[in-house]
């Protein structure tokens, strides 16, 4: 088994040397669908695309004043945590946020500093929250990215809206979606690791729990004792514990900042950690490709990594 483990590590390093970029490249303008599939989707490589949605009204319209007028009274789902880390490992728990129903204006009040509240607030509910919770804003963006939909032969499975404080951080994880992440205002900073780095990325299995804010403002931890344990990455790439996770020394993370008007193509199964500027607004499109050949290939690598890590 040690030989298999070492071969997996060698394979990972070969992938970096043979085809992976040392930084995230930039493309200018909307690409040709066939070329994009050939050059980026097929090889499973990320890139940042400039001027691909410069025609969206959202880029100029989505000011706090406009959002208050359009959707200020709408009640939406907001993730609330004591530390900004929702869906993240904390000690021996996988912590999930308190999902609070709030008016959009009350979230803007917190972000703009008009109201002080304990906790960190983040509009991050997925499963197409833009369409389901904020349909009044959909005319300001496109329902899908036409060249991506053509390249993949399908429409997106979800279109999500993101708005939050600078303290809101997305912990390291991966998704089985092809992801186009469009920053409307502010900026997002990503740490990215390819699926081939999986042998160097630690996983654990954790008891799920939820934060709940009490009347005195303190947060308690409520175990979800009826739920199955959650596999998740305990490592923080901003401050990796290399004594505890020495294999991570061999990983080669990429860092990139996506600014307003830019779009990140985040391929399926790439590990990513995300930070943002205060009040950053973004929209992303998820294309579910769980059953394509690429997905099955990297799932095999995932299985081999789990087996060798357990021995």
């Amino acid at each position: 088994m040690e030989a298999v483990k070492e071969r997996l590590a060698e394979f990972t390093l070969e992938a970096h040397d043979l085809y992976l970029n040392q930084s995230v490249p930039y493309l200018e303008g909307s690409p040709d669908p066939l070329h994009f599939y050939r050059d980026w989707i097929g090889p499973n490589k990320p890139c940042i695309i400039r001027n691909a949605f410069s025609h969206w009204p959202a880029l100029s319209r989505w000011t706090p004043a406009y959002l208050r007028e359009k959707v200020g009274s709408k009640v939406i789902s907001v993730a609330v945590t004591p530390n900004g880390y929702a869906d993240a490992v904390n000690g021996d728990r996988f912590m999930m946020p308190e999902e609070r129903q709030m008016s959009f204006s009350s979230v803007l009040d917190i972000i703009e500093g008009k109201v002080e509240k304990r906790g960190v607030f983040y509009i991050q509910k997925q499963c197409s929250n833009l369409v389901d919770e904020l349909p009044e804003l959909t005319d300001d963006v496109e329902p899908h990215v036409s060249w991506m939909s053509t390249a993949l032969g399908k429409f997106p499975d979800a279109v999500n809206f993101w708005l939050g404080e600078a303290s809101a951080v997305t912990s390291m994880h991966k998704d089985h979606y092809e992801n186009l992440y469009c920053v409307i205002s502010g900026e997002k900073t990503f740490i990215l690791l390819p699926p081939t780095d999986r042998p160097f990325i630690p996983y654990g299995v954790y008891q799920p729990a939820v934060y709940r804010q009490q009347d005195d403002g303190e947060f308690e931890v409520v175990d979800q004792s009826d739920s199955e344990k959650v596999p998740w990455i305990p490592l923080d790439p901003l401050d990796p514990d290399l004594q505890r996770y020495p294999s991570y020394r061999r990983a080669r993370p990429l860092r990139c900042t996506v600014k307003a008007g830019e779009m990140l193509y985040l391929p399926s199964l790439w590990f990513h950690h995300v930070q943002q500027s205060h009040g950053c607004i973004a929209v992303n499109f998820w294309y579910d490709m769980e059953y394509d050949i690429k997905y099955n290939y990297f799932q095999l690598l995932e299985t081999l990594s789990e087996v060798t890590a357990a021995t």
Side-chain angles (χ1 to χ4, degrees), residues 66-76 102-106 108 133-134 136:
Y66 176 85
L67 294 172
R68 285 182 189 276
E69 179 184 347
K70 290 286 285 188
V71 294
S73 62
K74 292 296 295 284
V75 176
I76 57 172
M102 301 173 62
S103 72
F104 199 100
S105 283
S106 64
L108 288 175
E133 293 193 332
L134 299 167
E136 296 85 354

Side-chain angles (χ1 to χ4, degrees), residues 233-251:
I233 300 168
L235 177 137
D236 181 357
L238 298 175
D239 185 24
D241 186 345
L242 299 179
Q243 291 287 105
R244 188 173 184 182
Y245 308 113
S247 293
Y248 189 72
R249 294 179 188 273
R250 305 178 75 177

Side-chain angles (χ1 to χ4, degrees), residues 107-244:
V107 178
L108 288 175
D109 287 341
I110 294 168
I111 289 175
E112 292 186 286
K114 296 180 178 180
V115 172
E116 288 190 8
K117 293 273 190 180
R118 296 185 69 173
V120 179
F121 295 76
Y122 195 14
I123 301 174
Q124 62 150 31
K125 185 177 180 180
Q126 295 147 46
C127 301
S128 246
N129 70 331
L130 177 62
V131 176
D132 293 343
E133 293 193 332
L134 299 167
E136 296 85 354
L137 298 179
T138 55
D139 286 344
D140 296 336
V141 300
E142 290 184 318
H144 69 112
V145 179
S146 59
W147 50 266
M148 187 63 158
S149 298
T150 299
L152 295 174
K154 63 177 296 182
F155 291 111
D157 296 274
V159 184
N160 304 310
F161 177 94
W162 309 78
L163 167 64
E165 302 182 77
S167 300
V169 176
T170 301
S171 70
M172 182 76 81
H173 71 288
K174 61 181 172 64
D175 302 305
H176 59 261
Y177 301 104
E178 302 288 345
N179 190 350
L180 289 179
Y181 208 100
C182 309
V183 176
I184 306 298
S185 64
E187 61 184 38
K188 297 263 186 179
T189 298
F190 290 78
I191 297 176
L192 306 176
L193 287 145
T196 49
D197 270 14
R198 173 61 181 86
F200 308 142
I201 298 172
Y203 264 84
V205 180
Y206 301 91
Q207 169 68 47
V210 176
Y211 289 117
R212 185 167 63 196
Q213 194 168 25
Q214 303 176 89
D215 292 340
D216 62 1
E218 295 293 325
F219 285 83
E220 63 176 337
V221 172
V222 181
D223 281 337
Q224 305 292 289
S225 54
D226 294 335
S227 300
E228 295 184 0
K229 290 190 174 182
V230 177
W232 207 258
I233 300 168
L235 177 137
D236 181 357
L238 298 175
D239 185 24
D241 186 345
L242 299 179
Q243 291 287 105
R244 188 173 184 182

Side-chain angles (χ1 to χ4, degrees), residues 21-24 46 190-194 252-256 270:
N21 300 103
Q22 295 183 2
S23 61
V24 179
F190 290 78
I191 297 176
L192 306 176
L193 287 145
R252 298 186 188 177
L254 302 178
R255 289 172 173 81
C256 66
W270 271 66

